[in-house]
Amino acid sequence: MSNESKDTLSIAGKEYNSRLLVGTGKYKDMDETKRAIETSGAEVITIAVRRTNIGQNADEPNVLDILPPDRHTILPNTAGCLDKQTAVRTCKLARELLDGHNLVKLEVLGDEKTLFPDVMQTLAAAEELIKDGFDVMVYTNDDPIIARELENMGCVAVMPLAAPIGSGLGIRNKLNIQTIVENANVPILVDAGVGTASDAAVAMELGCDGVLMNTAIAAAQNPVLMASAMKKAIEAGREAYLAGRMPAKRFASASSPVDGLFF
């Protein structure tokens, strides 16, 4: 969880000042990718190994040329994997390409239409990867029981969806996310479904340790400006959570005291 004195985000023993994690997909070109990510202030950048060149193909532009690992924590992910075997193989490929890098984002999808996680395959893949020495950040549904199981298994962060990947619907089940947060001893990061800055702020106000997003920034009409908005929303939501919001009340309550009126 976060360090109270500095309020940093700690993942797998490393501290981060930014609680916004971003992806690299769907931008129009490398220049826009670089400018948006730099504006976001994100320190952890997730990359779909099966869709993005990080050294697999010498004839294509390498995204690491604009996002050097000495300046960012690269988080390889298994986007597009529909079974345990493919996900595990993808993580092992990423470790080879990134010189022994063990931090990965695991997602095993149930189908290509909904992009919901296949929980059984996810659990099996996480177990195998953890035994093989990987630090696993895991995408899952918003089920508190599954989140607890993934934590107990040894995942370094649990990442419940807010809504379907790329939908922009925002957090559809706040109570489940809150329940996951309240019972966790590892970072909880909302992953998937954020559409705009207010969605990110809500996630942080619920007590999430961070938010991972891609489409919400990349598919905006002005991705660089949206990256700036998301950075501010994450910071504002975190401050609101730490400040402790006023209790919600059914009826009005005067801002000024009633006692001692002058007339």
Side-chain angles (χ1 to χ4, degrees):
M1 303 297 285
S2 60
N3 180 306
E4 291 184 1
S5 60
K6 295 183 179 179
D7 191 39
T8 53
L9 170 63
S10 178
I11 300 175
K14 186 170 181 178
E15 305 292 324
Y16 300 97
N17 293 310
S18 174
R19 293 174 178 273
L20 174 60
L21 295 75
V22 298
T24 61
K26 301 184 179 180
Y27 291 98
K28 68 180 182 181
D29 54 36
M30 286 283 199
D31 178 65
E32 184 178 77
T33 304
K34 180 179 180 181
R35 289 187 295 116
I37 290 176
E38 288 181 347
T39 300
S40 75
E43 297 165 274
V44 180
I45 315 299
T46 189
I47 297 174
V49 178
R50 300 186 73 199
R51 298 170 178 162
T52 308
N53 183 34
I54 58 172
Q56 309 97 307
N57 191 337
D59 297 327
E60 294 183 5
N62 188 331
V63 73
L64 299 183
D65 291 338
I66 63 166
L67 300 170
D70 61 340
R71 291 182 52 197
H72 305 277
T73 292
I74 303 301
L75 179 62
N77 70 61
T78 60
C81 294
L82 300 176
D83 57 69
K84 180 193 81 169
Q85 291 79 10
T86 307
V88 169
R89 186 167 63 250
T90 300
C91 289
K92 290 181 177 180
L93 171 62
R95 183 160 63 182
E96 290 181 11
L97 292 170
L98 296 172
D99 299 322
H101 183 84
N102 285 321
L103 184 66
V104 294
K105 178 197 164 190
L106 171 66
E107 57 181 79
V108 185
L109 306 178
D111 61 65
E112 295 180 346
K113 180 179 180 181
T114 67
L115 301 183
F116 278 122
D118 182 324
V119 172
M120 298 305 293
Q121 291 285 304
T122 298
L123 288 166
E127 182 177 29
E128 183 169 337
L129 289 168
I130 291 166
K131 287 181 179 178
D132 196 23
F134 284 93
D135 294 319
V136 179
M137 300 173 65
V138 58
Y139 166 71
T140 184
N141 58 23
D142 59 1
D143 182 339
I145 305 304
I146 296 300
R148 183 180 64 194
E149 180 63 25
L150 289 164
E151 176 183 339
N152 291 341
M153 185 180 289
C155 293
V156 299
V158 177
M159 309 174 74
L161 56 81
I165 292 173
S167 67
L169 292 172
I171 298 178
R172 309 313 296 168
N173 197 330
K174 296 178 183 178
L175 292 178
N176 274 22
I177 297 295
Q178 189 170 17
T179 300
I180 292 171
V181 168
E182 290 174 349
N183 291 283
N185 293 300
V186 297
I188 302 298
L189 300 96
V190 157
D191 177 13
V194 168
T196 191
S198 58
D199 299 330
V202 167
M204 299 308 296
E205 289 170 4
L206 290 172
C208 292
D209 295 275
V211 179
L212 188 149
M213 65 182 74
N214 185 175
T215 307
I217 296 176
Q221 293 183 30
N222 186 332
V224 176
L225 188 58
M226 183 60 79
S228 176
M230 290 299 188
K231 176 182 179 180
K232 295 166 186 170
I234 293 288
E235 293 171 350
R238 179 64 179 176
E239 288 186 0
Y241 171 72
L242 294 175
R245 65 155 288 156
M246 61 168 283
K249 300 177 182 179
R250 182 179 179 186
F251 297 107
S253 176
S255 298
S256 302
V258 176
D259 297 337
L261 293 177
F262 292 110
F263 57 87

